[in-house]
Amino acid sequence: MRVLVRYFAAARERSGTTEEWIEVEESATLAGLWSLLVQRHPALAGLGSCISFAVNREYTDRLHTLRDGDEVALIPPVSGGSTGGCIHD
Amino acid sequence: MRVLVRYFAAARERSGTTEEWIEVEESATLAGLWSLLVQRHPALAGLGSCISFAVNREYTDRLHTLRDGDEVALIPPVSGGSTGGCIHD
Amino acid sequence: MIELVQGKIDLERVIAAVSHPGAGATVIFVGTTRDHNEGREVIRLEYEAYEEMAISELQRLVLTAQTQWPETRAAIAHRLGEVPLGEPSVVIAVSSPHRAQAFAACRFLIDELKKSVPIWKKEFFQGGEVWIGTQQGTPLPSSWVRPDS
Amino acid sequence: MIELVQGKIDLERVIAAVSHPGAGATVIFVGTTRDHNEGREVIRLEYEAYEEMAISELQRLVLTAQTQWPETRAAIAHRLGEVPLGEPSVVIAVSSPHRAQAFAACRFLIDELKKSVPIWKKEFFQGGEVWIGTQQGTPLPSSWVRPDS
């Protein structure tokens, strides 16, 4: 099955793309997808502790199980605050 | 000695004037002046429990002693709130 | 900027008066004449001020706010005379590097303005007219004595 | 009205969207790009959004505010793309019959907007650029696991 991955802000710059379809296994979780994405775009690894995820435009956690056709967004920290607390390279 | 009395809002309407010079005794207090004003403009009496006073543009109390040339303003309740609590006829 | 104005309040001008390059947050309060008050249908409204004292009281309030929230800047415009329903009677703008201070100072200013600044509102409604005010709203000196008692 | 706009935000339009005859109080928050942030001199700023989700998150926030403060109406406009220094990047207007609710709902909306709405700001300063954000600012699921651990 495949999911549409959308990249924003720092994640967009590090992946070098705004969106792409990614093949994942049945019952893949967000954590599994993230591993694939980091292999594909190693520069993303540095954002790891800062990224949240949305599936079909709702925030969710990394244990979330994906379904065919899901829209997954990588959500770097939003613009509200300082950079304090978010560790990335 | 004399003081300038200024009337606003309900006090202006009840006195029928915006300002007037009033003769008062030396060391007269605001309370004394108020008695004179009520004699002069009986309709003011009904506002009695609602009125505050300013002397030379500062709020003050009725025991305040007047001086020659003071500007005294009758300050009905200001526009912020409801009419509750202010009893007049 | 502290102004008592006849005619429409220029909102953008009030905001511009507090804008500066370090101000990341501006909070604006707009008080508008309502069509109903305490169950009465309001037809029109008029505001009257003891202008010299209203200006000095507003200046005092702005100074107090700037003492309590040092990085804020504040501007106040109050309209006098007839104010058509639905139009602003008062605009308060407060800028600050951070929003918490701007919210706090703006709230303080409108609360205090309504308590102590000598500006009066007369409401005209079907069948009558009334000056709006409240005894509690006016600072009562400690030696307050009812004149009739 | 909830809008993501390219170009200047029309403040009067945002306010007009919440005006109605029963609204005695309108509180407006204007967030402006500052010339300094964390000691850096900012040259320019750009905003980027996950637009579909930003709109739905903003709608959710407005509904939450209207549930908590039932008589309020809210409108939000956020600017995207380059925002010159000193110009508003976000405007939130909240009207209400009474000011306490308008202040509370407006404060709630800007606080939540900055926490959870997927809009990003890139700051360009002498010698570099940086995406502004904070890990705490993004809702962390309870089962959060650091991917590297």
Side-chain angles (χ1 to χ4, degrees):
Chain A
M1 68 184 206
R2 4 175 264 162
V3 297
L4 178 64
V5 179
R6 299 185 64 175
Y7 301 92
F8 295 95
R12 174 177 54 71
E13 292 181 349
R14 286 174 181 242
S15 70
T17 186
T18 58
E19 60 178 59
E20 59 188 347
W21 287 95
I22 299 285
E23 285 288 333
V24 293
E25 293 177 3
E26 294 296 321
S27 311
T29 61
L30 274 175
L33 173 64
W34 172 251
S35 300
L36 289 178
L37 296 178
V38 169
Q39 283 170 31
R40 195 174 171 88
H41 309 291
L44 286 176
L47 288 177
S49 69
C50 302
I51 291 266
S52 293
F53 293 90
V55 174
N56 301 328
R57 300 168 193 176
E58 300 272 355
Y59 286 108
T60 187
D61 63 63
R62 291 179 183 224
L63 300 183
H64 185 99
T65 302
L66 295 168
R67 291 203 256 184
D68 189 42
D70 275 349
E71 176 177 311
V72 178
L74 271 61
I75 313 266
V78 296
S79 64
S82 70
T83 51
C86 177
I87 303 142
H88 63 80
D89 60 23
Chain B
M1 66 182 206
R2 2 174 264 162
V3 297
L4 178 63
V5 179
R6 299 184 64 176
Y7 300 93
F8 295 95
R12 174 177 54 71
E13 291 182 348
R14 284 172 183 244
S15 71
T17 186
T18 58
E19 60 178 61
E20 57 189 347
W21 286 95
I22 299 286
E23 285 287 336
V24 292
E25 292 176 1
E26 294 295 320
S27 311
T29 61
L30 272 175
L33 173 64
W34 172 251
S35 299
L36 288 179
L37 297 178
V38 169
Q39 283 169 30
R40 194 175 172 88
H41 308 291
L44 285 176
L47 288 178
S49 68
C50 302
I51 291 265
S52 292
F53 292 90
V55 174
N56 302 328
R57 302 170 193 175
E58 300 271 355
Y59 286 108
T60 187
D61 64 62
R62 292 180 183 223
L63 300 183
H64 185 100
T65 302
L66 295 168
R67 291 202 260 184
D68 191 39
D70 275 349
E71 176 177 312
V72 178
L74 271 60
I75 313 266
V78 295
S79 65
S82 71
T83 51
C86 178
I87 303 142
H88 63 80
D89 59 25
Chain C
M1 168 187 143
I2 290 170
E3 285 186 347
L4 303 175
V5 297
Q6 301 284 339
K8 280 203 179 187
I9 296 172
D10 183 342
L11 181 66
E12 299 275 1
R13 229 181 112 245
V14 182
I15 297 172
V18 300
S19 296
H20 63 99
T26 305
V27 173
I28 304 128
F29 175 83
V30 179
T32 304
T33 56
R34 285 189 293 161
D35 61 351
H36 281 80
N37 192 20
E38 301 188 355
R40 295 185 295 267
E41 186 177 349
V42 180
I43 300 169
R44 76 192 172 90
L45 282 159
E46 280 180 17
Y47 285 84
E48 172 177 342
Y50 179 9
E51 298 196 25
E52 305 92 324
M53 184 172 165
I55 292 281
S56 67
E57 284 289 300
L58 289 171
Q59 284 168 338
R60 189 179 59 78
L61 292 181
V62 166
L63 279 175
T64 304
Q66 278 165 348
T67 303
Q68 192 156 357
W69 299 281
E71 294 185 300
T72 59
R73 297 191 191 178
I76 303 177
H78 203 298
R79 186 167 174 177
L80 299 180
E82 181 170 350
V83 180
L85 295 182
E87 292 190 9
S89 54
V90 61
V91 173
I92 299 176
V94 179
S95 71
S96 169
H98 303 288
R99 66 184 179 278
Q101 292 73 16
F103 271 103
C106 189
R107 181 69 198 270
F108 167 83
L109 288 170
I110 183 60
D111 286 354
E112 293 301 312
L113 183 154
K114 296 214 170 200
K115 271 191 217 155
S116 72
V117 177
I119 298 176
W120 299 271
K121 175 168 73 172
K122 189 172 199 175
E123 240 178 51
F124 297 80
F125 52 90
Q126 259 341 323
E129 55 189 56
V130 64
W131 287 100
I132 303 299
T134 168
Q135 186 174 0
Q136 303 97 297
T138 315
L140 292 185
S142 53
S143 57
W144 176 264
V145 180
R146 275 202 178 213
D148 303 331
S149 64
Chain D
M1 169 186 140
I2 289 170
E3 284 186 346
L4 303 175
V5 297
Q6 301 285 340
K8 282 205 178 186
I9 296 172
D10 183 342
L11 181 66
E12 300 273 4
R13 230 182 111 244
V14 183
I15 297 173
V18 300
S19 296
H20 63 99
T26 304
V27 173
I28 303 127
F29 175 82
V30 178
T32 305
T33 55
R34 285 189 294 162
D35 61 350
H36 280 80
N37 192 20
E38 300 187 355
R40 296 185 295 269
E41 187 178 346
V42 180
I43 301 169
R44 74 191 173 90
L45 282 160
E46 281 178 17
Y47 286 85
E48 173 179 341
Y50 179 8
E51 298 197 26
E52 305 92 323
M53 184 171 163
I55 293 281
S56 67
E57 284 291 299
L58 290 171
Q59 284 169 338
R60 190 179 58 77
L61 292 181
V62 167
L63 279 176
T64 304
Q66 279 167 346
T67 304
Q68 193 157 357
W69 298 281
E71 293 185 301
T72 58
R73 295 190 193 179
I76 303 177
H78 203 297
R79 186 167 175 179
L80 299 180
E82 181 170 349
V83 179
L85 295 181
E87 293 191 8
S89 55
V90 59
V91 173
I92 299 177
V94 179
S95 71
S96 170
H98 303 289
R99 67 185 178 277
Q101 290 76 15
F103 271 102
C106 189
R107 181 70 198 269
F108 167 81
L109 287 170
I110 183 60
D111 286 354
E112 293 300 313
L113 183 154
K114 297 215 170 198
K115 271 190 217 155
S116 73
V117 177
I119 297 175
W120 299 271
K121 175 169 71 172
K122 190 171 198 173
E123 240 179 51
F124 297 80
F125 52 90
Q126 262 336 326
E129 54 188 58
V130 65
W131 287 101
I132 303 299
T134 167
Q135 186 176 1
Q136 303 98 293
T138 316
L140 291 185
S142 53
S143 57
W144 177 264
V145 180
R146 274 201 179 212
D148 302 334
S149 63

